[in-house]
């Protein structure tokens, strides 16, 4: 896993984002994310969570500020080099964003195919991943034939199949039952233990208690609340995280 | 989203072969011959084949006629007195025969002349009713230059004052000029159809890009490159162009063959010399190949340009 010399996987420094001539939806956002850490991003609706996530998964460039990802300046990075960074990030979208005319199997296989993995090498991991999210028997179903919860599990399987360095999930448990929510969190934790940095945006405050080792990033009206400075950038000389969930 | 994605020629679809190896599924859904694009291609290719065939046939006709006439000259002796006309014609043939470089001199008999003018003047018209000029057909071993024509006129005039000497190619100059214009017209038609084809591809790709915007964004966010996405559209448009091109080629060739048979039936010398050679047929077969390449390149440029506006 590549990170900056200081060990950060993501650095935001005074980042601001505005759409058109409207007021900023994110203001002066500064934080660092470290490899192998687990973060919850919380905040009320409209606080800017989705905007912050879009910056994190490189769907958007900020209006101002500095962003470094995996040791690379993501602001000045030519767009031809963005795909290489994006392949290191797994994303679970709030609205799933599955390709509606691809089967569950093909949706999950998509990141591997984009990365050029040969067909004979991807069949087993894709099938295993679908088995893990309990969709092994529905792998040939199209998304419109799946329930909301099943679609969400396909989206999660697609996000983690490539063993990303960073996993970003926007309300990943919103459409699943409590048992499945716990199961998915355990999957995220397992990935996290293998070194993947996990960022989960959620409204569900109960979820925070399920991962005691997690850090909490709270957004309020576009500003990041960081009372202890645990997420601040530049990082504190001796590191350490103070915002335990 | 599903509804959008199913519209247009390049709806992202069931398989993803373009992103990986041949065993992988295609991401761009192939509608094969059920969409409008293959039929647009078929019509364009058929029109191009017919226009190109016409241009090639005209070119062959001109070349063949020019070859045949380049060394030819005709002496007409316009004299009312039949005996004097025949004498001057024989003298003209004699002096021309003596000139170096002359391959053949043929004094056209009255019977031949009668046969030539019979379709226009009828069989009953005798030599006395309408005096017809005596003709001498001259064939040089190489194309006639202005200098040779001048020398021939000078010598003929000394023995046959009523004679008029013309290079045969000069008679057909207006015809060649008209055929030349038709050739340019055929070329312009081929060019215009090519432009229309590119415009049709551009519109189809733009529509498909709009319809598949969500999927393109997903592929981008999963780390797909512009080239990978462009290949999906190239592949889709390539299939449409190949299928439509094959149909258009077959239809165009049928029209060309039928038209050729009809023109052969006219028995007109110039038309029959315009027959297509094997190289011409090969060029016609290349029309859909060039069409597919044009379509694929247009699709790629359109997609790459559109993607550059996305992050």
């Amino acid at each position: 896993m590549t990170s900056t010399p200081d060990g950060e996987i993501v650095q935001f420094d005074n980042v601001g984002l505005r759409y058109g001539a409207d007021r900023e939806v994110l203001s002066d956002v500064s934080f660092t994310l470290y490899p192998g850490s687990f973060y919850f991003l919380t905040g009320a609706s409209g606080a800017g969570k989705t905007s912050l996530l879009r910056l994190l998964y490189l769907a958007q460039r900020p209006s101002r500020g500095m962003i470094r990802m995996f040791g690379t300046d993501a602001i000045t990075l030519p767009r031809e080099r963005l795909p290489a960074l994006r392949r290191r990030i797994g994303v679970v979208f709030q609205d799933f964003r599955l390709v509606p005319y691809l089967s569950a199997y093909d949706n999950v296989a998509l990141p591997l195919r984009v990365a050029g993995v040969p067909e004979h090498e991807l069949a087993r991991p894709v099938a295993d991943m679908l088995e893990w999210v309990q969709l092994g028997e529905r792998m040939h179903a199209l998304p419109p034939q799946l329930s909301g919860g099943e679609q969400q599990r396909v989206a999660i399987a697609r996000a983690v199949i490539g063993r990303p360095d960073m996993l970003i999930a926007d309300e990943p448990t919103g459409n699943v039952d409590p048992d499945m929510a716990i199961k998915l969190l355990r999957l995220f934790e397992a990935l996290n233990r293998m070194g993947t940095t996990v960022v989960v945006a959620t409204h569900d405050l109960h979820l925070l208690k399920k991962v005691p080792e997690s850090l909490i990033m709270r957004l309020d009206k576009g500003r990041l609340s960081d009372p202890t400075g645990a997420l601040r950038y530049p990082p504190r000389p001796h590191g350490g995280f103070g915002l335990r969930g | 989203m599903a509804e959008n994605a199913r519209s247009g020629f390049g709806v992202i679809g069931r398989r993803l072969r373009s992103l990986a190896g041949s065993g992988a599924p295609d991401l761009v859904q192939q509608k094969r011959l059920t969409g409008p694009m293959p039929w647009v291609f078929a019509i364009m290719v058929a029109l191009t084949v017919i226009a190109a065939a016409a241009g090639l046939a005209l070119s062959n006709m001109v070349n063949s006629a020019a070859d045949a006439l380049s060394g030819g000259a005709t002496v007409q002796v316009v004299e009312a007195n039949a005996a004097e006309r025949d004498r001057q014609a024989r003298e003209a043939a004699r002096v021309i025969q003596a000139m170096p470089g002359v391959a053949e001199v043929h004094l056209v008999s009255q019977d031949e002349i009668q046969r030539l003018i019979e379709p226009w003047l009828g069989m009953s018209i005798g030599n006395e009713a309408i005096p017809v000029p005596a003709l001498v057909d001259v064939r040089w071993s190489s194309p006639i230059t202005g200098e040779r024509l001048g020398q021939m006129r000078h010598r003929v005039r000394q023995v046959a004052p009523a004679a008029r000497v013309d290079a045969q190619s000069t008679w057909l100059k207006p015809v060649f000029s008209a055929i030349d214009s038709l050739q340019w017209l055929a070329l312009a038609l081929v060019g215009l159809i090519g432009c229309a084809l590119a415009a049709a591809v551009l519109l189809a790709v733009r529509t498909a890009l709009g319809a598949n915007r969500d999927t393109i964004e997903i592929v981008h966010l999963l780390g797909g490159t512009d080239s990978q996405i462009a290949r999906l559209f190239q592949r889709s448009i390539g299939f449409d162009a190949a299928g439509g091109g094959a149909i258009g080629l077959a239809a165009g060739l049928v029209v060309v063959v039928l038209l050729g048979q009809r023109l052969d039936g006219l028995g007109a010398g110039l038309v029959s010399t315009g027959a297509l050679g094997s190289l011409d047929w090969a060029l016609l077969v290349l029309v859909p190949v060039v069409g597919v390449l044009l379509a694929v390149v247009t699709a790629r440029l359109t997609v790459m340009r559109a993607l550059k506006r996305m992050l």
Side-chain angles (χ1 to χ4, degrees), chain B residues 197-270:
Chain B
L197 186 71
V201 170
L202 192 138
L203 289 174
V205 169
R206 279 187 182 170
T207 304
L209 276 169
N212 295 298
R213 192 176 177 83
D214 287 343
T215 305
I216 290 167
E217 197 174 324
I218 292 168
V219 174
H220 255 158
L221 292 177
L222 293 176
T225 62
D226 289 356
S227 281
Q228 281 178 314
I229 294 168
R231 275 202 298 276
L232 302 175
F233 287 88
Q234 287 169 232
R235 182 182 169 80
S236 175
I237 204 86
F239 268 115
D240 283 354
I247 294 169
L249 176 66
L253 290 182
V254 167
V255 171
V256 169
V257 168
L258 290 177
L259 207 58
Q261 287 174 349
R262 287 291 178 98
L263 291 175
D264 276 349
L266 291 177
L270 271 179

Side-chain angles (χ1 to χ4, degrees), chain A residues 79 87 97 101-102 113-114 119, chain B residues 5 12-13 218 223 226 307:
Chain A
R79 62 183 298 285
R87 286 177 195 181
R97 305 192 71 173
Y101 29 81
L102 294 183
R113 288 184 172 130
V114 164
E119 282 301 300
Chain B
I12 307 295
I218 292 168
D226 289 356
L307 292 178

Side-chain angles (χ1 to χ4, degrees), chain A residues 111-132:
Chain A
L112 300 182
R113 288 184 172 130
V114 164
V117 175
E119 282 301 300
H120 66 273
E121 287 182 23
L122 60 81
R124 173 53 53 194
V126 172
D128 287 348
M129 184 57 71
L130 282 164
E131 284 292 342
W132 200 91

Side-chain angles (χ1 to χ4, degrees), chain B residues 2-93:
Chain B
E3 195 56 40
N4 276 346
R6 286 190 190 93
S7 64
F9 84 93
V11 179
I12 307 295
R14 290 188 54 74
R15 302 175 72 78
L16 296 159
R17 188 171 293 115
S18 347
L19 287 181
S22 58
D26 290 333
L27 187 57
V28 174
Q29 194 172 48
Q30 300 300 323
K31 297 188 86 175
R32 304 302 183 217
L33 299 180
T34 58
M37 279 313 292
W39 301 104
V40 172
F41 278 115
I43 293 166
M44 300 275 192
V45 168
L47 291 175
T48 308
V49 166
I50 294 166
L56 290 168
L58 288 171
S59 173
N60 291 347
M61 184 194 297
V62 169
N63 291 337
S64 164
D67 286 346
L69 298 177
S70 63
T74 301
V75 178
Q76 293 182 74
V77 180
V78 186
E79 167 60 53
N81 185 304
E84 177 59 14
R85 186 168 65 229
D86 290 345
R87 188 195 67 75
Q88 287 193 24
R90 279 195 302 277
E91 282 300 305

Side-chain angles (χ1 to χ4, degrees), chain B residues 9 24 40 95 99 136-137 157 159 161 177 183 190 237 243 257:
Chain B
F9 84 93
V40 172
V95 295
M99 291 180 73
V136 180
D137 184 38
R157 202 169 293 128
V159 295
S177 174
Q183 275 183 273
V190 170
I237 204 86
V257 168

